[in-house]
Amino acid sequence: VATAEARQYGKVFDEVAAEYDRSRPGYPRELIEEACALAGLERGDRVLEVGCGSGQLTRDLLTAGLEVVAVEPGAQLLSLAAGNLEGVGEVSFVNARFEDAQLPSGHSRAMFAAASFHWIDPEVSWAKVADVLAPGGTLALMQHCGLEEQRSLDDQQALLSMLARVAPEIAAGWPAYRDLPSLLDGVEQRSENVSEVWAWVGSHDLARPEAGRLFEDVQVAAVPSLVEQTAEELNALFGTISAYSRLSPGQRQEIESEFLALQERLGRPIRSSTVCVLVTARVAGRDTAV
Ligand SMILES: C[S@@+](CC[C@H](N)C(=O)[O-])C[C@H]1O[C@@H](n2cnc3c(N)ncnc32)[C@H](O)[C@@H]1O
């Protein structure tokens, strides 16, 4: 029940579509190239993208020469994506949740999902991806995660303790920050089941036993980076996370002032360490999946 309730928040991105389009980061080129290489993709191949938002990853898939069918339930996001991607390549849009989208079986060489797979009902997601992928097709999941790192530790701790004070209900559900070796070690330990790996990476409740039978050859790649943001930039990004919709106007104002106060105290922009994680898995042979 908790998961179903949390999934309702997947709708909120569409309500802040323009801010989302302005503030959300894209994905490192090397991870996109790695995903395409692992999936054996060539120019002209047809791929699916789920939860394309305003096209953060879609642009790179099109630039790589792929033909993209992008599934996105948010009408505002979809219209921004259509504008952003005009003339970039061969893209068609399906305005639906992945759970409800009518997609032909076995038609895609790969399915990409960037910061979106955890919004899909896990009772449906793993089996439906396995169905829409062509034999030997690849699922490629990407997401930016917070990273524990010495060079940003003090700033990140200041932000988390501020959040715990101003919005304890949000801080309680904040995803765990791990250092890179611990993150990768946890992936290694779960590598028999892609859903357990993705649940670990993003601290999501989406692991299902059947995913271990439906997918094989789980691979991971990670690109860490240090981000420096002004209080204003950080506040704009914070306004696009799903938890923001649950804050009162007073909490929002207090957080914005706290970002400014921290920047003033530091005398420089605020540092956060993030890691962009790619997890891929190949759909198992049909006979092993039944
Ligand atoms: C955090 S945003 C990621 C958007 C974009 N891919 C990016 O990387 O910035 C999550 C996206 O998933 C979409 N989404 C939410 N629930 C979904 C569902 N059930 N099926 C497909 N997409 C969904 C949202 O509308 C939103 O565009």
Side-chain angles (χ1 to χ4, degrees):
V1 176
T3 317
E5 272 173 18
R7 268 197 308 280
Q8 296 299 317
Y9 296 118
K11 292 182 187 159
V12 303
F13 302 107
D14 201 49
E15 288 159 17
V16 294
E19 292 87 334
Y20 195 98
D21 186 44
R22 272 197 299 275
S23 306
R24 283 286 185 133
Y27 297 89
R29 185 162 301 277
E30 61 257 58
L31 281 193
I32 295 159
E33 286 170 0
E34 174 89 7
C36 291
L38 284 166
L41 293 173
E42 288 174 11
R43 294 184 81 81
D45 279 344
R46 194 177 331 151
V47 302
L48 194 63
E49 187 194 349
V50 170
C52 69
S54 58
Q56 284 75 3
L57 174 66
T58 328
R59 171 177 291 277
D60 294 305
L61 300 178
L62 293 173
T63 306
L66 301 169
E67 241 181 70
V68 182
V69 175
V71 178
E72 169 55 57
Q76 314 294 331
L77 286 165
L78 210 55
S79 113
L80 283 167
N84 288 341
L85 301 171
E86 207 178 319
V88 182
E90 287 282 307
V91 59
S92 56
F93 298 103
V94 179
N95 187 196
R97 299 188 318 150
F98 180 60
E99 294 90 322
D100 309 324
Q102 302 277 324
L103 301 164
S105 291
H107 101 304
S108 288
R109 293 288 319 276
M111 187 185 118
F112 289 82
S116 57
F117 203 73
H118 57 290
W119 294 112
I120 305 166
D121 183 351
E123 295 299 327
V124 178
S125 57
W126 302 106
K128 188 159 177 174
V129 177
D131 178 64
V132 300
L133 285 175
T138 297
L139 170 62
L141 302 171
M142 273 190 210
Q143 174 165 344
H144 295 282
C145 305
L147 186 68
E148 189 185 296
E149 245 193 351
Q150 204 50 45
R151 53 191 180 161
S152 59
L153 200 60
D154 291 348
D155 292 23
Q156 287 194 169
Q157 274 174 356
L159 289 173
L160 286 176
S161 58
M162 178 275 284
L163 198 60
R165 194 164 35 76
V166 180
E169 66 286 9
I170 303 294
W174 204 253
Y177 286 5
R178 309 182 182 100
D179 59 32
L180 194 53
S182 313
L183 177 78
L184 296 177
D185 193 41
V187 168
E188 179 68 38
Q189 285 170 30
R190 293 163 177 79
S191 63
E192 289 301 304
N193 183 324
V194 65
S195 72
E196 286 180 18
V197 168
W198 203 239
W200 162 255
V201 167
S203 308
H204 305 304
D205 176 15
L206 48 67
R208 292 295 182 274
E210 73 269 19
R213 297 188 293 277
L214 292 168
F215 295 92
E216 59 194 15
D217 191 18
V218 176
Q219 307 279 342
V220 65
V223 176
S225 56
L226 179 74
V227 187
E228 295 209 332
Q229 286 163 310
T230 62
E232 199 184 336
E233 287 166 340
L234 189 58
N235 195 53
L237 180 65
F238 195 69
T240 69
I241 67 169
S242 65
Y244 193 76
S245 65
R246 286 179 277 153
L247 295 173
S248 69
Q251 284 174 310
R252 291 177 184 184
Q253 216 158 37
E254 201 174 339
I255 288 171
E256 186 175 4
S257 314
E258 290 283 350
F259 287 154
L260 278 165
L262 178 60
Q263 174 173 263
E264 261 175 42
R265 213 161 55 240
L266 295 168
R268 57 161 172 77
I270 300 160
R271 292 183 187 146
S272 333
S273 291
T274 64
V275 58
C276 190
V277 183
L278 163 72
V279 168
T280 62
R282 228 184 18 253
V283 71
R286 298 280 181 226
D287 47 351
T288 56
V290 289

